[in-house]
Amino acid sequence: MNRKITYPTILLLGIGLPFFIHSQGWDCSNSLIEKDRHHLTLNLNGGIASHFGDLSIYDFYPDSKVMTESGPGFGIIGTWYITNIFGISGQLLNANIKAGMDNISFRTRILEYNIHGRINFINIFHPNSHPRFGFEGYAGIGQFFFTVIKYSENA
């Protein structure tokens, strides 16, 4: 008998199998991280940074905005979880943006660092749960530096 595996079957298995596995308790709840609440996480992020303002001429044209007025941006966040509810984080962000209008243009480099506390709201109300999503709040203090270079055709 020749059986053909169809796209809906693969989709159903791809969605249903993780739910089945999670409901059977195969969610790594006995791992070292779950036993030891004091752990460190490291998050990396990246993307594009853009300027929306008086010198930007492509605010309503996303493709031109990305190609001509955007630059790379990246960040790193390190969090030390003291408990399963509270953690302390440090963050470093770097971005490069550019924009121009008529005969004036600029490039800007932005560097930001901050330290903040994080609270996991799900674990406050359900301390022994392993939710499939998270809801965290964070607040802290930080500082940013930026360097602007102005270019003009008249200069």
Side-chain angles (χ1 to χ4, degrees), residues 47-121:
I48 59 171
S50 294
H51 167 74
F52 290 88
D54 53 354
L55 291 179
S56 178
I57 58 175
Y58 297 110
D59 286 345
F60 299 107
Y61 306 100
D63 55 339
S64 297
K65 181 91 173 154
V66 170
M67 297 302 293
T68 59
E69 293 184 347
S70 299
F74 60 90
I76 184 169
I77 304 170
T79 303
W80 179 56
Y81 285 95
I82 299 169
T83 68
N84 64 339
I85 296 173
F86 182 73
I88 296 175
S89 297
Q91 181 175 9
L92 179 66
L93 300 169
N94 185 19
N96 296 291
I97 59 174
K98 56 188 174 181
M101 179 180 251
D102 298 330
N103 60 352
I104 298 173
S105 62
F106 72 90
R107 292 184 182 273
T108 303
R109 180 173 181 218
I110 300 171
L111 177 67
E112 177 189 350
Y113 64 90
N114 63 55
I115 185 166
H116 55 274
R118 290 181 175 261
I119 296 176
N120 186 331
F121 291 111

Side-chain angles (χ1 to χ4, degrees), residues 5-58:
I5 299 177
T6 62
Y7 179 73
T9 305
I10 294 172
L11 185 63
L12 183 64
L13 286 174
I15 292 173
L17 193 59
F19 289 123
F20 174 75
I21 290 172
H22 185 76
S23 68
Q24 299 301 315
W26 300 345
D27 61 352
C28 301
S29 60
N30 293 325
S31 70
L32 183 60
I33 289 176
E34 291 298 325
K35 288 181 181 178
D36 182 16
R37 299 296 185 187
H38 304 282
H39 64 277
L40 180 69
T41 62
L42 188 65
N43 300 319
L44 302 174
N45 53 57
I48 59 171
S50 294
H51 167 74
F52 290 88
D54 53 354
L55 291 179
S56 178
I57 58 175
Y58 297 110

